[in-house]
């Protein structure tokens, strides 16, 4: 039982990374119905920006907590700008064309980010600096261990989720986002600047992915230019699992996927982990095609 | 009808002439080994693109799992020739048939999904097939199978490619093909007209898987080695890129797309660091400036004998959006 709970805790910390990336997928899909395959690579870029800013700031002799917060903020800001420019340059010209053309463009952007990364940084994995000292705590005097890193990851995720929830619920941009995702044309008629809203969506999604990238780097201590591919795909699975277009769905989907994966690995089937993730996805799709939290949209005749 | 027949035989004649010229060039040694392996790769990719075009371009079902079917065919035929000494042609056919069986099995549950959900489910299935291969010791696990006899020759490949293109193209022009086009254009309307949409979707999916499996077998017998990693979702994307770049829904377009992507890939190999970057920029620019693909709805000009017929052809292979 304790072993199980231990794995659950590990699963939640992996899952919160998936959840943060999945939010970007879900928000973009909710608004422009595009599977943004480049999102996993924004996560990678965010991770590298985090790495270099953390190194630089740590050398400047700042205290660890400031280094962490500053590198998170720097990485999130630059990635948000990256997200906006990707949308402006690559996706905006395709607003009116077929979805498959937009999808191919997304794949193109994904390759572009990955191999520009390989060109500039080299294909080898790079070590991520230890920003915070890792401490281990025992839960309620039992043998269940919680690392300080894991607590911090969960805290960061929860804070970012609350901020996101606030933005989407109460700010003007958030209301515009919900309106655009409900009906683009009607939103435009009501005087909402659709282009700006879409940019804002990309900015927020990319910033969250960047935060996930920094957290990922701190957890696994190794980052490389192709690292966005698998987590990106998994996060996408998580978004579909929770019901694509739904923000709480992305959170639940991410945590669920992370937990299932860690439990599978802990049972000794780690090489089957990815397979199980996809099998879960297909089962969900077959029995509940709109995901756990998705709305059932009836097709108009 | 006569005109279509005449055109059909002319097309075959031109293809055979092409075959003969290349054969002569190969035997006289004008074309190097590098060129030969590129030709083989082009043929395999044409089979893959044309078969995916049947699923995505004609029937309008967006599938990102084509590499999965390819790997089933590749592994099956490789094991048959390696371990059981089965002759080459039956081994390739067996690979294709097993892939077709997988096509039915995967198609039955997933084809009820539509649009992006189908795409995701097929992507998942493709990855599951890859992970099963990765974890099966019998097929070599992560290191894959090696020492596969290189039995794919230019003659073999040419006739497999020709036959698959002709068969798929004839299917598209048949009653069944028109039913598939009707499904692409409007599934609900097609169903209301009495077309059994599920049946036709599964038929298209199965035929696509059959030829993808044979293409996999041929590629396995070209390059000695197959690993699970070479059949991941990036490979599926590559096939989609060929189909979309050529022009969705057009067989001629798929062929052009396959040739274009293969040549691009091969010639960019000289700039390894820049290869994928140039490739991705070409992709993005193509989609922004010519989203309907290289050929779009048009067809090879020498097929257009009369205006009336050209119109009829365009109607069949019109640009649809899946």
């Amino acid at each position: 039982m304790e072993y199980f709970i231990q794995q659950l805790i590990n699963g939640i910390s992996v899952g919160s990374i998936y959840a943060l990336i999945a939010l970007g997928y879900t928000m973009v899909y909710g608004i422009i119905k595009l599977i943004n395959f480049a999102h996993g690579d924004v996560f990678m870029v965010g991770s590298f920006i985090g790495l270099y800013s953390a190194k630089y700031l740590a050398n400047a002799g700042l205290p660890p907590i400031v280094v962490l917060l500053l590198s998170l903020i720097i990485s999130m800001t630059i990635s948000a700008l990256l997200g906006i420019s990707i949308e402006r340059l690559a996706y905006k010209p395709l607003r009116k064309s077929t979805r498959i053309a937009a999808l191919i463009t997304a794949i193109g952007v994904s390759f572009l980010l990955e191999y520009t990364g390989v060109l500039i940084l080299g294909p080898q994995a790079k070590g991520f600096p230890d920003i915070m000292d890792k401490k281990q705590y025992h839960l309620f005097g039992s043998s269940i261990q919680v690392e300080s890193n894991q607590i911090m990851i969960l805290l960061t995720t929860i804070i970012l989720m609350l901020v996101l929830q606030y933005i989407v619920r109460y700010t003007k941009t958030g209301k515009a986002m919900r309106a655009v995702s409900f009906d683009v044309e009607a939103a435009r008629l009501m005087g909402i600047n659709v282009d700006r809203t879409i940019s804002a969506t990309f900015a927020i999604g990319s910033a969250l992915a960047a935060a996930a990238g920094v957290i990922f780097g701190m957890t696994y201590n190794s980052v490389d230019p192709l690292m966005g591919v698998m987590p990106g795909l998994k996060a996408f699975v998580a978004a579909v699992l929770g019901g694509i277009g739904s923000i709480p769905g992305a959170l639940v989907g991410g945590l669920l996927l992370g937990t299932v994966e860690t439990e599978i690995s802990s049972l000794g089937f780690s090489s089957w982990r990815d397979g199980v993730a996809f099998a879960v996805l297909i089962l969900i799709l077959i029995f509940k095609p709109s995901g756990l939290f998705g709305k059932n949209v009836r097709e108009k005749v | 009808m006569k005109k279509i027949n005449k055109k059909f035989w002319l097309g075959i004649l031109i293809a055979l002439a092409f075959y003969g010229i290349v054969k002569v060039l190969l035997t006289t040694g004008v074309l190097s080994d590098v060129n030969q392996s590129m030709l083989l790769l082009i043929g395999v990719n044409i089979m893959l693109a044309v078969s995916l075009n049947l699923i995505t371009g004609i029937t309008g079902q967006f599938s990102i799992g084509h590499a999965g079917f390819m790997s089933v065919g590749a592994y099956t035929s490789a094991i048959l020739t390696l371990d059981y000494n089965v002759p080459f042609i039956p081994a390739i056919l067996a690979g294709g048939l097993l892939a077709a069986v997988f096509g039915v099995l995967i198609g039955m549950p997933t084809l009820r999904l539509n649009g992006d959900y189908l795409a995701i489910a097929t992507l998942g299935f493709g990855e599951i097939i890859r992970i099963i291969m990765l974890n099966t010791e019998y097929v070599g696990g992560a290191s894959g199978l090696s020492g596969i006899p290189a039995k794919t020759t230019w003659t073999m490949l040419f006739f497999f490619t020709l036959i698959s293109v002709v068969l798929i193209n004839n299917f598209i022009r048949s009653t069944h093909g028109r039913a598939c086009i009707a499904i692409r254009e409007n599934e609900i309307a097609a169903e209301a007209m009495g077309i059994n949409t599920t049946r036709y979707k599964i038929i298209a999916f199965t035929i696509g898987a059959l030829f993808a499996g044979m293409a996999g077998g041929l590629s396995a017998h070209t390059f000695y080695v197959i690993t699970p990693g070479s059949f991941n979702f990036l490979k599926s994307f590559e096939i989609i890129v060929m189909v979309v770049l050529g022009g969705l829904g057009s067989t001629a377009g798929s062929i052009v797309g396959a040739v274009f992507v293969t040549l691009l890939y091969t010639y960019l190999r000289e700039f390894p660091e820049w290869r994928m970057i140039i490739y991705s920029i070409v992709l993005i620019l193509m989609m922004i400036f010519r989203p309907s693909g290289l050929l779009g709805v048009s067809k090879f000009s020498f097929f257009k004998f009369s205006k009336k017929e050209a119109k009829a052809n365009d109607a069949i292979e019109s640009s649809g959006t899946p």
Side-chain angles (χ1 to χ4, degrees), chain A residues 116-215:
Chain A
T116 310
V118 171
L119 189 72
I120 297 173
L121 306 159
Q124 298 86 9
K126 289 200 168 26
F128 202 89
D130 280 319
I131 301 177
M132 309 267 271
D133 289 333
K134 279 179 187 163
K135 283 188 201 122
Q136 295 191 329
Y137 303 102
H138 288 269
L139 216 61
F140 312 122
S142 64
S143 66
I144 300 170
Q145 280 184 355
V146 182
E147 280 182 25
S148 55
N149 249 359
Q150 291 176 325
I151 297 175
M152 194 216 57
I153 289 170
L154 201 61
L155 269 180
T156 318
T157 312
I158 291 172
I159 293 170
L160 288 174
M161 292 281 173
L162 289 176
V163 171
L164 180 69
Q165 199 65 17
Y166 173 77
I167 291 176
V168 173
R169 288 259 154 239
Y170 301 107
T171 62
K172 217 171 170 183
T173 321
K175 282 178 187 162
M177 278 161 65
R178 283 187 286 151
V180 172
S181 81
F182 192 75
D183 188 330
V184 181
E185 284 314 311
R188 190 172 279 136
L189 288 175
M190 297 308 286
I192 291 172
N193 187 338
V194 173
D195 285 334
R196 220 169 65 200
T197 313
I198 293 174
S199 291
T201 313
F202 270 86
I204 295 172
S206 306
L208 291 173
V214 176
I215 291 174

Side-chain angles (χ1 to χ4, degrees), chain B residues 68-78 91-92 94-96 98-99 212-214 216-218 220:
Chain B
F69 298 128
M70 192 189 168
S71 80
V72 171
Y75 273 97
T76 312
S77 59
I92 299 290
L98 195 67
M214 298 205 309
L218 289 167

Side-chain angles (χ1 to χ4, degrees), chain B residues 13-302:
Chain B
L13 210 70
I14 292 169
L16 285 176
F18 176 71
Y19 161 74
I21 292 169
V22 173
K23 182 77 188 166
V24 169
L25 289 179
L26 281 173
T27 40
T28 52
V30 177
L31 285 176
S32 62
D33 283 355
V34 180
N35 285 323
Q36 185 180 359
S37 70
M38 193 174 77
L39 276 173
L40 297 182
L41 192 62
I42 288 178
V44 168
N45 283 341
I46 287 176
M47 282 178 78
L48 290 167
V50 170
S51 60
L52 183 67
N53 182 46
L54 175 63
I55 300 174
T56 305
I58 300 294
T59 322
Q61 305 303 308
F62 193 13
S63 160
I64 323 187
H66 223 51
F69 298 128
M70 192 189 168
S71 80
V72 171
Y75 273 97
T76 312
S77 59
I79 288 170
L80 285 178
T81 49
L82 270 178
D83 293 358
Y84 299 98
N85 287 321
V86 176
F88 178 65
I89 292 177
I92 299 290
L93 293 178
L97 283 177
L98 195 67
V101 171
F102 270 76
V104 179
L105 291 178
I106 294 172
M108 293 254 235
T110 49
L111 284 170
R112 293 190 305 150
L113 303 166
N114 43 30
D116 294 336
Y117 289 114
L118 175 70
I120 303 155
T122 47
L123 187 147
F125 266 116
E127 285 293 285
I128 289 176
I129 293 177
R130 181 178 69 84
I131 290 158
I132 291 174
M133 302 295 187
L134 198 66
N135 286 295
T136 312
E137 272 315 303
Y138 180 66
V139 296
S143 51
L145 288 173
S146 54
I148 303 162
K151 285 186 179 167
T152 309
T153 58
W154 166 241
T155 309
M156 282 290 171
L157 182 95
F158 176 82
F159 284 104
F160 266 107
T161 312
L162 182 67
I163 290 168
S164 52
V165 171
V166 167
L167 285 182
I168 290 178
N169 215 21
N170 279 358
F171 176 83
I172 294 171
R173 287 160 185 283
S174 71
T175 323
H176 308 295
R178 280 161 204 271
C180 289
I181 294 171
I183 293 172
R184 173 188 77 189
E185 293 300 331
N186 191 332
E187 199 174 330
I188 297 170
E191 195 150 19
M193 295 303 287
I195 293 170
N196 186 343
T197 51
T198 319
R199 192 174 134 225
Y200 279 110
K201 282 198 255 177
I202 293 179
I203 289 176
F205 212 66
T206 311
I207 296 178
L210 173 78
F211 288 106
M214 298 205 309
L218 289 167
S219 81
H221 288 84
T222 309
F223 301 109
Y224 318 103
V225 186
I226 44 173
T227 58
S230 48
F231 303 110
N232 56 9
F233 66 98
L234 293 177
K235 181 72 195 174
S236 300
F237 280 153
E238 204 185 301
I239 308 169
I240 295 173
V241 165
M242 291 171 198
V243 176
V244 177
L245 279 191
L248 263 180
S250 146
T251 308
S254 298
I255 296 172
V256 171
V259 175
F260 178 75
V261 170
T262 320
L263 289 181
L264 189 68
Y265 240 74
T266 314
Y267 284 113
L268 286 179
R269 216 160 266 174
E270 289 169 34
F271 320 94
E273 308 91 26
W274 288 94
R275 184 167 78 114
M276 290 305 285
I277 296 177
I278 296 173
Y279 177 67
S280 54
I281 291 174
V282 170
L283 269 190
I284 297 170
L285 292 181
M286 272 290 300
M287 283 300 110
I288 290 176
F289 294 110
R290 194 154 168 72
S292 56
L294 287 171
L295 285 198
V297 296
S298 66
K299 295 179 45 100
F300 286 133
S301 55
F302 59 75

Side-chain angles (χ1 to χ4, degrees), chain A:
Chain A
M1 190 61 201
E2 279 185 354
Y3 182 69
F4 180 80
I5 294 173
Q6 178 72 61
Q7 294 306 324
L8 195 69
I9 291 170
N10 296 343
I12 287 172
S13 78
V14 178
S16 40
I17 295 177
Y18 289 155
L20 282 176
I21 313 175
L23 282 169
Y25 274 118
T26 242
M27 285 164 56
V28 167
Y29 190 89
I31 285 197
I32 54 173
K33 297 282 175 288
L34 164 73
I35 304 176
N36 180 16
F37 272 107
H39 195 61
D41 303 298
V42 174
F43 157 81
M44 176 273 291
V45 172
S47 189
F48 269 99
I49 297 171
L51 183 151
Y52 287 112
S53 45
K55 263 190 185 161
Y56 180 79
L57 293 169
N59 280 344
L62 293 167
I65 187 79
V66 180
V67 172
L68 172 67
L69 286 178
L70 271 181
S71 44
L72 257 181
I73 291 168
I74 293 171
S75 158
M76 286 171 76
T77 317
I78 298 180
S79 303
L81 292 176
L82 176 70
I84 295 175
S85 22
I86 289 175
E87 197 272 327
R88 277 287 147 91
L89 295 176
Y91 301 152
K92 202 177 166 206
L94 287 159
R95 220 45 79 63
K96 291 270 179 294
S97 54
T98 59
R99 282 162 75 177
I100 199 163
L103 194 81
I104 300 265
T105 313
I107 295 167
V109 174
S110 161
F111 285 154
L112 188 62
L113 289 177
E114 281 166 19
Y115 290 94
T116 310
V118 171
L119 189 72
I120 297 173
L121 306 159
Q124 298 86 9
K126 289 200 168 26
F128 202 89
D130 280 319
I131 301 177
M132 309 267 271
D133 289 333
K134 279 179 187 163
K135 283 188 201 122
Q136 295 191 329
Y137 303 102
H138 288 269
L139 216 61
F140 312 122
S142 64
S143 66
I144 300 170
Q145 280 184 355
V146 182
E147 280 182 25
S148 55
N149 249 359
Q150 291 176 325
I151 297 175
M152 194 216 57
I153 289 170
L154 201 61
L155 269 180
T156 318
T157 312
I158 291 172
I159 293 170
L160 288 174
M161 292 281 173
L162 289 176
V163 171
L164 180 69
Q165 199 65 17
Y166 173 77
I167 291 176
V168 173
R169 288 259 154 239
Y170 301 107
T171 62
K172 217 171 170 183
T173 321
K175 282 178 187 162
M177 278 161 65
R178 283 187 286 151
V180 172
S181 81
F182 192 75
D183 188 330
V184 181
E185 284 314 311
R188 190 172 279 136
L189 288 175
M190 297 308 286
I192 291 172
N193 187 338
V194 173
D195 285 334
R196 220 169 65 200
T197 313
I198 293 174
S199 291
T201 313
F202 270 86
I204 295 172
S206 306
L208 291 173
V214 176
I215 291 174
F216 183 94
M218 290 173 65
T219 318
Y220 297 101
N221 290 326
S222 152
V223 287
D224 68 275
L226 299 182
M227 74 185 217
V229 180
M230 228 12 182
L233 206 56
K234 294 285 189 52
F236 176 61
V237 168
V240 177
L241 212 64
I244 201 148
S246 145
I247 289 175
L251 180 64
V252 173
L255 292 179
L256 198 70
L257 192 69
T259 326
V260 170
E261 272 194 4
T262 358
E263 295 292 346
I264 296 283
S265 304
S266 76
L267 291 173
F269 298 105
S270 54
S271 55
W272 291 93
R273 197 181 57 197
D274 299 354
V276 171
F278 288 112
V280 169
L281 168 79
I282 287 164
L283 286 178
I284 294 261
L285 282 179
I286 289 172
F287 292 108
K288 201 164 180 335
S290 49
L292 294 174
F293 286 69
K295 281 168 285 187
N296 245 331
V297 185
R298 199 177 288 166
E299 212 166 334
K300 280 182 203 152
V301 180

